[in-house]
Every structure is written in C-alpha cells, then in structure tokens.
Amino acid sequence: MAKAARKKKSAPKSPSGLARFSPRALYRRLRRSVLRVVFGGLAAFLALILLYSVVNPPITHTIWVEKRRLGDVDREWVPIEHISPHLARSVVAAEDARFCEHWGFDVHAIRSALESGANRGASTLTQQVVKNVFLWQGRSWFRKALETFITPVVEATWSKERIVEVYLNVAEMGEGIFGADAAARHYFGVGPDQLSAQQAALIAALLPNPKERSAADPGNFMRNRARQIMDGAATIERDGRSACFEH
C-alpha cells in the first residue's frame, strides 16, 4: 500500500522540460543576448571616446588603410602647444568657421547646403574627427547615422581644443601624409610650430582633396583658396571665434 502510494506520487512529470525551449522562451533568451551585445558595445565605445579625450589615438582606419596600400605613412603626433596657431585658425576657417559656436552640428551650414543642393560644406570639424578617428571614409547612411550619434558625445566629453588637436594630428594632408608635423616638414621643411600664416593657409587649402593638391607647388586655385583662408583665419581671430581652441 505504501509502495503503491509512493509510486503514484512520483508518477506525474513535466513534459520533458519542453517549456524551456518554447518559441516564446527562445525569443526572450535571444532578445536578452542581443541587448547584452548592444549595450556592451555601446559601453565599450563610450569608454573609447572617454579614453581618447586624454589619450592620443594610436591609429585610425584611414591611416591603417593607407599604410597597407603604400607600405608606410608619414605621421608624428604633436601636442597642440607645438603647432602654429596659424594652422589651427586656418583649418577652422577653411572647414568650420562657427566651430566655437555650435555643439557638433552647424545648423546654418546644413540649411545652406540643403538649399543650394551642395554635396559638401555642412560637415563640422567635430564630425570629421569622429569620422577620422572612430569610423571610416566613404558615404553610407549607416556610417552617417553612427557619426550623428557619436558627434554630440564627443562634444560633451572633449574640449574644443582637444577636438582641434586630434584633427590636426590625424587629418590626411597629402598622399601618405597625416597630421601637422608631417605636412609642415614635407611641404615647407619646417616644424609645425614654425608655419607662417601663408604656409598654414596653403596646408588648409589642401582639404578636402589632399591627394590631388600640393601646398608646395600650388596652382591658381590653391593660391586663391589660401588667400580666402588667410582672410577667414584673421577674421575669426579678430571676432574672438578662435578663443575656444587657442591655448
């Protein structure tokens, strides 16, 4: 009798644990795994952004690609204190004259570009740093979406001076030439702290086609562009629009 009762008690069992593998349970587990990966990736990316606010990026995707293509590149990191302020002002005047006034996106430039149908001109210095340091070259909606997400984070965690410093050290300024030090020595045979206003303007005029232009042997377009940049650099200095990045 007792044996029969014990047998009867142990008889009911769940259907082989199949509930754990139901479609709903599998979906929940998959969703949790995906969220962990997404949030883990975001946390790692945020940590990298914070790290690069004080640590110099060792390499970028563009530098890596060019190094593989050419065999080597010319690049030496230089603190902004050792770069001529003429070059910093020239690059800002050429690429993002309202750099000190915006939070990563120049709404006025975006509006003007949309109205004129221009393909270029709305990208700020911060956006270019984000693209150069954290992303890759080329046009795609996915890359642009990532750039749009990262740009305000960089603006919130980096100083304006740091953004300019990083830009001046990672921007391509000729074939296999990256940064102010390499450009100053390659084109003019001087250190980056010795660049004159005209030399700095000629280097800034290389952008955005550094592979097709030369600061050492400028054509009429480059000379005219350099004069415009010199005027712009003098204007932003006079108006106080360079104060946010000058040391």
Side-chain angles (χ1 to χ4, degrees):
M1 214 43 183
K3 273 185 186 177
R6 276 198 297 272
K7 268 188 186 178
K8 198 168 183 182
K9 194 172 181 179
S10 61
K13 289 182 180 177
S14 61
S16 310
L18 290 177
R20 289 184 303 162
F21 301 100
S22 69
R24 182 176 293 178
L26 284 172
Y27 170 75
R28 283 198 299 268
R29 292 177 66 183
L30 180 62
R31 185 179 63 181
R32 281 196 298 269
S33 299
V34 169
L35 287 175
R36 282 196 202 101
V37 170
V38 169
F39 285 114
L42 288 174
F45 218 83
L46 180 59
L48 190 63
I49 292 171
L50 292 172
L51 179 67
Y52 283 170
S53 69
V54 292
V55 175
N56 301 330
I59 198 166
T60 69
H61 181 266
T62 304
I63 294 173
W64 176 75
V65 168
E66 287 299 284
K67 194 167 185 176
R68 286 192 63 192
R69 185 176 73 87
L70 299 171
D72 199 10
V73 295
D74 189 1
R75 180 202 180 207
E76 186 70 36
W77 189 280
V78 180
I80 195 168
E81 294 84 3
H82 298 160
I83 298 174
S84 168
H86 291 304
L87 184 58
R89 287 194 293 266
S90 293
V91 165
V92 171
E95 297 293 292
D96 186 5
R98 282 188 279 267
F99 175 68
C100 288
E101 300 170 359
H102 63 65
W103 48 275
F105 303 101
D106 189 340
V107 177
H108 298 287
I110 293 170
R111 188 180 297 119
S112 298
L114 290 173
E115 289 173 355
S116 64
N119 292 323
R120 184 183 178 275
S123 183
T124 64
L125 214 64
T126 313
Q127 288 175 275
Q128 292 181 53
V129 165
V130 167
K131 178 180 68 175
N132 288 337
V133 174
F134 299 105
L135 303 174
W136 59 92
Q137 305 297 321
R139 294 172 181 239
S140 72
W141 285 108
F142 179 62
R143 187 194 65 73
K144 200 66 183 175
L146 288 174
E147 180 186 300
T148 302
F149 170 76
I150 298 168
T151 294
V153 180
V154 168
E155 277 278 343
T157 54
W158 294 19
S159 69
K160 290 284 191 178
E161 184 181 28
R162 178 60 174 171
I163 293 169
V164 173
E165 179 181 48
V166 172
Y167 181 88
L168 290 174
N169 277 284
V170 302
E172 187 176 18
M173 297 178 176
E175 189 167 39
I177 299 165
F178 290 88
D181 181 79
R185 298 187 188 284
H186 176 80
Y187 293 116
F188 303 112
V190 299
D193 58 331
Q194 299 172 309
L195 288 168
S196 68
Q198 184 180 20
Q199 291 169 336
L202 282 166
I203 290 176
L206 292 167
L207 310 168
N209 297 313
K211 287 189 176 73
E212 299 172 13
R213 300 174 184 175
S214 172
D217 185 24
N220 289 333
F221 172 83
M222 279 281 290
R223 289 193 185 93
N224 291 334
R225 178 66 178 141
R227 279 194 290 270
Q228 293 171 355
I229 291 171
M230 284 179 68
D231 290 342
T235 300
I236 66 171
E237 181 185 20
R238 187 173 58 249
D239 293 349
R241 283 182 287 146
S242 61
C244 72
F245 61 85
E246 288 192 323
H247 51 275

